[in-house]
Amino acid sequence: MYNKKIFASLVCSALLTVGVQAADIKQGGTLNVPIITTGFVDNYNPYTTKDVFHGIMFEPLMVFNNMTGETDFRLAESAGYSDDLKTITVKMRNGLKWSDGSLLTAEDVAYSFLLTKENPAFDSKGIWSGGNLQSVEVTVDNSVAFTLAKPDSTFIWNLEKYHILPKAVWSKVDNATTFTNPDPVGTGPMTQVKYRKSQQMELCRNPHYYLKGRPYLDCVSFRSFNDNSQIQPALMKGEVDWGSNFIADIESTFVKRDPDNNHFWYPANDAIHLYLNTKKVPFNDLKVRQALSMALDRELIVDIAAYGYPTANFNAGGIGELYEKSINKEISDRYSHLTEFNQDKAGVKDVDGDGYRDNPDGSKLEFDIEVVTGWTDWIQVVQMVTEFYDEIGIKSNVKTVDWAVYDANLKKSEYDVAINWSMVATNPIIAYQEYFSSSRVGNSWHAGHGVNDAEIDALIDSFGQTGSPEEQKAILDKLQVFTAENLPFIPLFSNPTWFQYSTKKVDGWPTKENPYVQPVWYDGGKRVIILNNLHLK
């Protein structure tokens, strides 16, 4: 929990590879990374490109490192709350420059956040739509003040997710949501577009990066792949250095081919659920939701569909292994029957005798489970889920859709059932905000299930109004009970952090022995920390 004083600034350059001195690190080289996409287009707008450029072309203000529990200040030098927890003051580093050499000031930062107010599609964390943020203003000493309507000690965690953009460029744009930013000006370690092709794109060193001597690498080369099955042979052949996707039978297919250089590390990550649209029949019936949960053998799903890499999640309270310290075991045990594999308690009936169960009105009980095309591991999981449902006479179908359709359907609640993750953040209260806060409905993949309550909104909001660990624990306990009693999503497993890497050419990776950050490619904050440590072997 953050106190009211200014946080002590961290020295970013202290994150060096264990056993390697800065003077010994080689400069140069290119990192090859895979991206699952249909291809690259001439668009460098960080808000319309699935955050491909966050932490690479655009540096965050700060990073809340959930692996170490520390705050890594990036563009910001420090940040802190007023005594009443209603004002956050972010002090910027002096002498920052954009990649074109112009000065980056607090004025750019304030403008960047106001831009997301003018363009709600950019308000990814709902800082404006939530209603608490009242103003963002430049103050003395190259600082920015975020003024809140009410105390919220969790609000600062949102700031790292927004992109800092040059006011000189973006203020002249007529429509920011369609702007492709063709001549990008950024702050991250790799800002120069060396080339862009349909299936490959290369970004190279920022000539004005604020950390002296960083990045060590010259460039990052993105390669486009349609799905996980194409990434696996690329890793095996050494065509990519960093994998962040599911790879089948990793020990045999990757590690054994070059055990000295091919490695993986799978620390705990997000909890994976089947989100149920309770606005639709039959998911509006709690007993049906419970039956669907008890119909699944989680351990078998993990072992067969996911090769044993995840950890089966039997906690109906909404959080998994990543937040193990916050799980109330007594509450988890109280509701353990909801995640027990017990198909005899399915509780829905076959009315017309066709072998499949029916809705209470006699209509056929059939639904689709949405998953993104190309996500082979989750497609296997969903396929196995449908087989379990078939065993109890419930007809369900695997529905693969493109990312854009999946993204829209979950946010608009236009789905039956969908497999999706949970929020990974500094504290599990953020996961519960994403699940239940009314302000997140329509803006989050996790909040479209239809279970919302004004009292729960108030309970979630109260977490940020106290600095007492005991009171915060009590709030989390109540949220676990609420989740288990309403079951808007069915827990499946705790996902591992998919992380495969090669040390044949590049070193400096986070490892189990040197866990300086959670190795997540798709998180810009974590990604920029790793990029600042990677170097030629």
Side-chain angles (χ1 to χ4, degrees):
M1 182 65 199
Y2 301 102
N3 58 34
K4 304 170 190 176
K5 298 179 180 179
I6 299 294
F7 306 145
S9 180
L10 301 179
V11 181
C12 298
S13 58
L15 287 172
L16 296 177
T17 306
V18 171
V20 179
Q21 299 300 316
D24 299 329
I25 293 178
K26 300 177 182 178
Q27 294 277 341
T30 297
L31 178 74
N32 297 296
V33 297
I35 300 288
I36 294 180
T37 179
T38 54
F40 301 108
V41 297
D42 194 20
N43 179 9
Y44 305 98
N45 182 330
Y47 283 109
T48 58
T49 49
K50 289 175 59 178
D51 278 352
V52 168
F53 301 109
H54 193 209
I56 294 183
M57 187 177 284
F58 301 97
E59 189 90 2
L61 288 174
M62 61 198 78
V63 178
F64 298 103
N65 191 330
N66 64 326
M67 186 66 74
T68 65
E70 297 176 335
T71 303
D72 180 12
F73 288 97
R74 308 299 298 179
L75 295 179
E77 179 181 288
S78 62
Y81 277 91
S82 59
D83 288 341
D84 62 2
L85 297 177
K86 293 173 66 175
T87 301
I88 302 168
T89 301
V90 177
K91 187 178 187 308
M92 302 301 297
R93 294 176 184 270
N94 291 319
L96 290 174
K97 292 184 178 181
W98 293 101
S99 55
D100 64 358
S102 61
L103 288 178
L104 186 162
T105 68
E107 188 72 31
D108 291 299
V109 177
Y111 170 80
S112 297
F113 282 93
L114 292 171
L115 181 68
T116 68
K117 180 180 182 181
E118 297 169 1
N119 299 273
F122 294 173
D123 189 13
S124 58
K125 304 301 294 182
I127 57 174
W128 294 104
S129 62
N132 197 18
L133 183 59
Q134 300 298 294
S135 65
V136 180
E137 298 175 318
V138 175
T139 64
V140 296
D141 198 24
N142 197 31
S143 297
V144 181
F146 297 79
T147 302
L148 310 179
K150 56 186 179 181
D152 185 356
S153 59
T154 73
F155 191 90
I156 194 170
W157 299 338
N158 296 308
L159 301 186
E160 68 171 316
K161 301 300 183 182
Y162 288 82
H163 306 293
I164 307 305
L165 304 172
K167 181 178 180 180
V169 175
W170 287 75
S171 62
K172 298 175 183 177
V173 175
D174 292 331
N175 188 338
T177 60
T178 59
F179 180 51
T180 59
N181 197 23
D183 299 304
V185 176
T187 52
M190 304 291 181
T191 56
Q192 310 306 103
V193 183
K194 184 175 182 180
Y195 65 80
R196 181 201 58 79
K197 302 174 182 178
S198 176
Q199 301 303 312
Q200 195 166 357
M201 175 175 62
E202 190 162 300
L203 304 181
C204 296
R205 183 192 302 275
N206 178 352
H208 299 285
Y209 196 50
Y210 70 103
L211 293 178
K212 185 177 180 180
R214 304 293 181 95
Y216 300 126
L217 298 171
D218 283 339
C219 302
V220 174
S221 179
F222 300 83
R223 290 192 55 193
S224 169
F225 295 89
N226 292 329
D227 54 42
N228 295 339
S229 65
Q230 292 186 344
I231 294 176
Q232 182 164 327
L235 269 171
M236 291 160 54
K237 295 175 184 176
E239 296 174 357
V240 294
D241 304 304
W242 181 351
S244 292
N245 302 89
F246 170 80
I247 301 297
D249 195 12
I250 188 72
E251 290 279 6
S252 299
T253 60
F254 178 59
V255 175
K256 286 185 178 179
R257 288 178 173 265
D258 187 356
D260 291 334
N261 294 301
N262 292 353
H263 311 280
F264 73 98
W265 177 40
Y266 288 169
N269 201 12
D270 46 346
I272 307 304
H273 309 306
L274 292 177
Y275 288 78
L276 309 174
N277 190 342
T278 66
K279 301 173 186 178
K280 293 185 176 184
V281 175
F283 312 111
N284 60 335
D285 186 338
L286 176 59
K287 291 183 178 179
V288 171
R289 302 199 294 271
Q290 293 173 339
L292 291 173
S293 178
M294 290 185 284
L296 302 178
D297 186 337
R298 290 159 175 77
E299 291 182 335
L300 200 59
I301 290 173
V302 165
D303 288 342
I304 296 179
Y307 292 86
Y309 300 137
T311 302
N313 185 7
F314 297 98
N315 177 41
I319 51 179
E321 186 181 5
L322 179 68
Y323 299 122
E324 183 180 6
K325 293 179 181 178
S326 296
I327 295 175
N328 185 312
K329 190 175 186 305
E330 180 182 340
I331 294 172
S332 184
D333 290 346
R334 188 190 316 164
Y335 296 98
S336 62
H337 63 283
L338 297 176
T339 56
E340 178 187 357
F341 179 46
N342 193 336
Q343 294 189 337
D344 292 335
K345 294 183 179 180
V348 275
K349 299 182 182 296
D350 174 17
V351 176
D352 58 11
D354 66 352
Y356 285 97
R357 299 170 188 257
D358 306 285
N359 292 312
D361 63 0
S363 61
K364 188 176 183 181
L365 200 171
E366 181 175 0
F367 55 85
D368 295 328
I369 305 177
E370 292 195 16
V371 61
V372 176
T373 301
W375 291 6
T376 52
D377 55 331
W378 281 12
I379 291 172
Q380 289 177 176
V381 168
V382 173
Q383 179 62 49
M384 200 164 174
V385 166
T386 64
E387 292 169 1
F388 277 118
Y389 289 159
D390 193 73
E391 289 176 3
I392 61 169
I394 291 179
K395 178 66 174 174
S396 60
N397 312 295
V398 179
K399 183 180 180 181
T400 57
V401 295
D402 291 338
W403 166 261
V405 175
Y406 178 83
D407 173 66
N409 286 353
L410 265 68
K411 289 178 179 175
K412 296 177 182 178
S413 302
E414 295 178 353
Y415 64 91
D416 298 332
V417 180
I419 186 172
N420 193 251
W421 55 87
S422 60
M423 182 57 63
V424 173
T426 306
N427 186 285
I429 191 64
I430 302 300
Y432 287 109
Q433 285 179 348
E434 288 292 296
Y435 292 148
F436 298 119
S437 290
S438 297
S439 63
R440 301 303 296 139
V441 176
N443 298 299
S444 168
W445 303 299
H446 317 301
H449 46 69
V451 175
N452 303 102
D453 184 283
E455 291 184 6
I456 291 301
D457 284 350
L459 181 65
I460 291 171
D461 291 344
S462 70
F463 187 96
Q465 297 167 14
T466 177
S468 166
E470 292 78 16
E471 292 179 7
Q472 291 175 346
K473 179 183 182 303
I475 292 168
L476 290 176
D477 288 351
K478 290 178 182 179
L479 289 168
Q480 290 174 60
V481 170
F482 177 82
T483 305
E485 290 187 344
N486 288 275
L487 208 66
F489 41 81
I490 296 171
L492 293 177
F493 49 78
S494 291
N495 218 25
T497 301
W498 302 117
F499 175 50
Q500 309 89 22
Y501 61 99
S502 170
T503 56
K504 188 172 185 177
K505 297 179 298 181
V506 176
D507 212 341
W509 303 99
T511 64
K512 184 177 181 180
E513 295 71 32
N514 182 27
Y516 63 81
V517 71
Q518 186 183 15
V520 181
W521 166 261
Y522 295 100
D523 183 294
K526 297 176 175 68
R527 179 166 54 196
V528 74
I529 292 174
I530 296 174
L531 285 177
N532 272 277
N533 282 274
L534 296 182
H535 57 85
L536 285 177
K537 192 171 181 180

